[in-house]
Amino acid sequence: MSVLELRDLCVDFGQRGGPPLRAVDHVSFGLEPGRTLALVGESGSGKSTVVRTAGQLIRPTAGEILLDGNPAGRHGRELRAYRRRVQLVFQDPFASLNPMHTVHHHLARPTLRLHPGHGRARLDEYVHELLRSVNLTPPEETARKYPHELSGGQRQRVAIARALAAGPDVLLADEPVSMLDVSIRLEILHLIDRLRQERSLALLYVTHDLATARHFSAEVMVMYQGEIVERGPSDEVILRPAHPYTQLLASAAPDPAASRQKLAEARAARQQARAGRTGTDSERHQAAAGAGCRFRGRCPQAMDICATRPPDAVVGPGHRALCWLHSAEAAGANGAVPERG
């Protein structure tokens, strides 16, 4: 059973001199204890907006947020109870910590707000336990430091420890390693994965990296211009992508074993995709909203029927794609449906 569920979530942002921009369009998913769901897509696809809305930092325009099957509270005590159970880890470890306060303050403050019964000795012990859990040792020394005295990886570990201080059931990780050195990214991801297992956390992992999405998640959702265009088991989605957008993402992923020909083909595909992106992000969103497949302007397999909204087609066990290529109706109108690569 899902501990946190989003149903038909929509988020609109106002624009000066224009209609609202729909950043998230009828997104639905659930997070289960002890399991990781990855949300992947390009920058500007709406991933961070989904995370911030799930964390109740942004109010949805429409849809529901359910915690244990009940509508999430949005005010006062109910909102505080929600935020205790649903915690976020932000992308930028340099901006998410206050430079004026020590590591001890960053961990003690949420602890005291959510568990006010802790005395000084117990509080110090709890802070040290949190630091040890994220491999920051010796904890007594780390607790006295300020953020500027830590590396980027150490700061992100502190941010993770701060999220754990509340004893959450859900962790929303918004590209938690994208701003860290390549050499320590896997360490942080393995840390988050270990904590998920030890604490039975329901984890939403937001990333643009398909390789880590496949490795660290049980299921993957692919987002494009505010919509989920493909979802399913991680191996199925990453190794056998059904939607042309997911195929484009997979082809753009670096492969150290690829031949020069494969690299040239991938580069040509990226150039073709960029050539199809005309206008600003806002203009593309507005042009696509409510007018068929949003990817059709970039899709090498676009058909006339793509001018109407595509179905959420089943392409395998638990695997779905928002695409006419996998619809029997499109096959009758345009010939045989292409085989999956």
Side-chain angles (χ1 to χ4, degrees), residues 239-250:
L239 297 181
R240 289 171 286 277
H243 196 282
Y245 175 62
T246 313
Q247 294 169 7
L248 176 65
L249 291 179

Side-chain angles (χ1 to χ4, degrees), residues 204-217:
L204 178 65
Y205 170 45
V206 176
T207 182
H208 57 267
D209 185 345
L210 270 66
T212 59
R214 178 193 170 202
H215 183 77
F216 290 100
S217 63

Side-chain angles (χ1 to χ4, degrees), residues 52 56 78 96 127 134 153-154 158 175 220 225 229 249 302 332:
R52 292 172 180 270
Q56 297 226 59
E78 291 182 342
S96 62
V127 167
V134 295
Q154 289 172 328
V158 171
E175 300 203 46
V220 170
Q225 290 195 355
V229 297
L249 291 179

Side-chain angles (χ1 to χ4, degrees), residues 12-323:
D12 294 341
F13 292 123
Q15 296 189 107
R16 182 177 297 177
L21 170 66
R22 173 143 294 183
V24 177
D25 192 6
H26 294 283
V27 167
S28 299
F29 62 85
L31 299 177
E32 300 177 8
R35 289 176 63 85
T36 300
L37 172 65
L39 179 61
V40 304
E42 296 170 307
S43 297
S45 60
K47 306 186 304 296
S48 293
T49 302
V50 170
V51 172
R52 292 172 180 270
T53 306
Q56 297 226 59
L57 300 180
I58 296 174
R59 176 166 293 187
T61 305
E64 289 184 294
I65 301 175
L66 305 177
L67 190 63
D68 290 333
N70 300 311
R74 295 183 177 178
H75 304 283
R77 183 178 302 175
E78 291 182 342
L79 179 58
R80 289 194 295 273
Y82 179 90
R83 287 178 172 165
R84 184 191 71 77
R85 298 186 59 192
V86 181
Q87 285 285 309
L88 291 86
V89 177
F90 295 100
Q91 178 179 1
D92 187 355
F94 302 93
S96 62
L97 301 178
N98 190 327
M100 302 300 295
H101 294 296
T102 64
V103 170
H104 184 281
H105 175 90
H106 282 91
L107 302 185
R109 189 168 184 269
T111 301
L112 287 175
R113 285 181 62 87
L114 298 166
H115 306 286
H118 281 35
R120 177 70 190 190
R122 175 60 186 133
L123 179 62
D124 290 346
E125 180 184 349
Y126 186 65
V127 167
H128 295 164
E129 287 175 3
L130 288 170
L131 291 172
R132 279 190 288 266
S133 72
V134 295
N135 299 331
L136 286 174
T137 56
E140 298 83 2
E141 179 180 335
T142 304
R144 292 192 294 268
K145 292 185 175 181
Y146 287 84
H148 73 271
E149 299 177 284
L150 305 175
S151 68
Q154 289 172 328
R155 293 187 195 194
Q156 195 63 301
R157 291 175 189 270
V158 171
I160 294 169
R162 180 178 58 184
L164 297 177
D169 299 311
V170 179
L171 195 63
L172 308 174
D174 185 10
E175 300 203 46
V177 298
S178 64
M179 296 191 68
L180 304 179
D181 291 342
V182 174
S183 59
I184 61 171
R185 290 179 181 178
L186 277 180
E187 290 182 22
I188 300 298
L189 289 175
H190 280 295
L191 169 65
I192 294 174
D193 194 54
R194 173 175 63 79
L195 294 169
R196 170 192 63 81
Q197 296 178 58
E198 292 176 352
R199 298 169 181 255
S200 193
L201 293 170
L203 175 63
L204 178 65
Y205 170 45
V206 176
T207 182
H208 57 267
D209 185 345
L210 270 66
T212 59
R214 178 193 170 202
H215 183 77
F216 290 100
S217 63
E219 187 178 1
V220 170
M221 298 187 303
V222 181
M223 194 170 195
Y224 181 74
Q225 290 195 355
E227 288 185 321
I228 301 301
V229 297
E230 186 167 358
R231 70 173 70 199
S234 57
D235 281 350
E236 281 292 309
V237 173
I238 304 303
L239 297 181
R240 289 171 286 277
H243 196 282
Y245 175 62
T246 313
Q247 294 169 7
L248 176 65
L249 291 179
S251 70
D255 181 2
S259 65
R260 288 188 176 183
Q261 180 181 354
K262 289 290 186 182
L263 291 173
E265 291 173 355
R267 183 165 55 251
R270 292 195 297 271
Q271 291 171 345
Q272 180 183 5
R274 282 196 295 270
R277 299 181 68 177
T278 58
T280 66
D281 286 339
S282 175
E283 288 169 344
R284 289 194 300 272
H285 272 282
Q286 293 301 330
C293 176
R294 299 185 178 184
F295 188 64
R296 69 185 185 279
R298 299 171 59 185
C299 182
Q301 303 180 70
M303 304 173 287
D304 291 342
I305 198 172
C306 297
T308 58
R309 181 170 178 79
D312 189 16
V314 177
V315 294
H319 189 181
R320 309 179 73 91
L322 197 68
C323 184

